[in-house]
Amino acid sequence: MKIALMDSGIGLLAATAAVRRLRPDADLVLSLDPDGMPWGPRTPQDLTARALAVAEAAAAHRPDALIVGCNTATVHALPTLRATLEPGIPVIGTVPAIKPAAAGGGPVAIWATPATTGSPYQRGLIEDFAGGVTVAEVPCWGLAEAVEHADERAIDAAVAAAAALTPADVTTVVLGCTHYELVADRIRAAVQRPGRPRLVLHGSAGAVVAQALRRIGARPEPESAALGAVTVLLSGRPGALPPPALAYAEGRLLQAVSPAP
C-alpha cells in the first residue's frame, strides 16, 4: 500500500502520523511546496495551480490514494484535483471536524486561519452541522506560520492571542487548520479553564486517514510491521523533511526513514 499526502508545508504531518498509526506498513509519499508556500494568501486560481502541481508530482509515484492535508487547499482545489486524478487515484480532502464537535453539545470554538474564519465555507459548515450549538469563530493570527517554522515564541504568542478570543465557557475546540494539530497540547493548556471539565479538541487527521483507507477498500492494521518507506518531494524535487518538522513528534517519527538532504 502507498499513501500520498500533500500540503504547502508541514501541516500534513498530523495526517502522516495517523497513517503511521493505522497502517505502519504503508509506503508514504509526502509532497510539499516550499517554492510556493504559504498557500493561504494566494488567489484561489493560483493556489489551485500550485496544489495541482504538487498533487501531480505525488501521483507520478502511483499512490493508492492522495490525502490533501490542508484545509485551504481542500476548499479551493479539491474539485480540480479530483477531476484530474480520479478515478485512478482517490483524492481525500480535509474538512474541519465541526460535525463531531457539535455532537458533544458545545459551546464550541473553531480555531482557524484569519482567511477561513467567517468565510462562506466555514459558515456553511456551521449551518449544516452545528445547528442549535453555540459556536465561536476564532481567528488565529500567525499561528500556522509559527508552527511551520517551529518558532517557539511566535507559537506561544499566537496561541495566547487566540485563547484570549475564546469564550470562557467553551467546552470543545475544533482545530480548523492542520498545522494546529501539531501544537494541540499547547492549545489545550491555553484554553483550559481551572475547575472546568477537560477541554475536548477535535482535529481532522484521524478521520481523514480512516476515510482514505475506506476509499481504497483497506482496513486499519495498527499491528502491522513498521516497514513503510517515506519519499519526500519538495515542489516536485526529491528531498527530505524540512528541519522544522523535527521539532514535532510527528516529524521525528519519520526521520529515520526519510532520505538525507
Side-chain angles (χ1 to χ4, degrees), residues 10 17 27 29 34 38-39 46-47 50 53 57 65 99 104 107 120 129 140 148 158 164 189 194 217 238 243 259:
I10 63 174
D27 291 337
V29 179
W39 283 350
D46 192 19
L47 187 155
R50 298 297 313 187
K99 184 176 181 179
F129 300 120
C140 302
E148 179 68 33

Side-chain angles (χ1 to χ4, degrees), residues 40-70:
R42 292 180 176 274
T43 65
Q45 296 79 9
D46 192 19
L47 187 155
T48 297
R50 298 297 313 187
L52 183 59
V54 168
E56 289 180 326
H61 289 257
R62 302 176 65 86
D64 297 294
L66 171 65
I67 293 172
V68 184
C70 173

Side-chain angles (χ1 to χ4, degrees), residues 158-231:
V159 167
L165 298 175
T166 302
D169 62 346
V170 157
T171 61
T172 305
V173 173
V174 175
L175 304 178
C177 171
T178 53
H179 281 79
Y180 302 170
E181 297 189 48
L182 301 178
V183 292
D185 288 345
R186 297 196 201 192
I187 292 171
R188 183 190 302 280
V191 179
Q192 181 71 58
R193 301 301 198 265
R196 300 278 296 174
R198 180 174 170 81
L199 188 74
V200 178
L201 300 182
H202 281 276
S204 301
V208 168
V209 173
Q211 173 65 6
L213 294 179
R214 285 193 292 269
R215 288 285 304 274
I216 63 176
R219 295 183 299 176
E221 295 182 8
E223 304 305 321
S224 301
L227 300 176
V230 178
T231 299

Side-chain angles (χ1 to χ4, degrees), residues 47-48 51-52 72-82:
L47 187 155
T48 297
L52 183 59
T72 303
T74 297
V75 172
H76 296 295
L78 188 61
T80 297
L81 298 179
R82 284 181 166 163

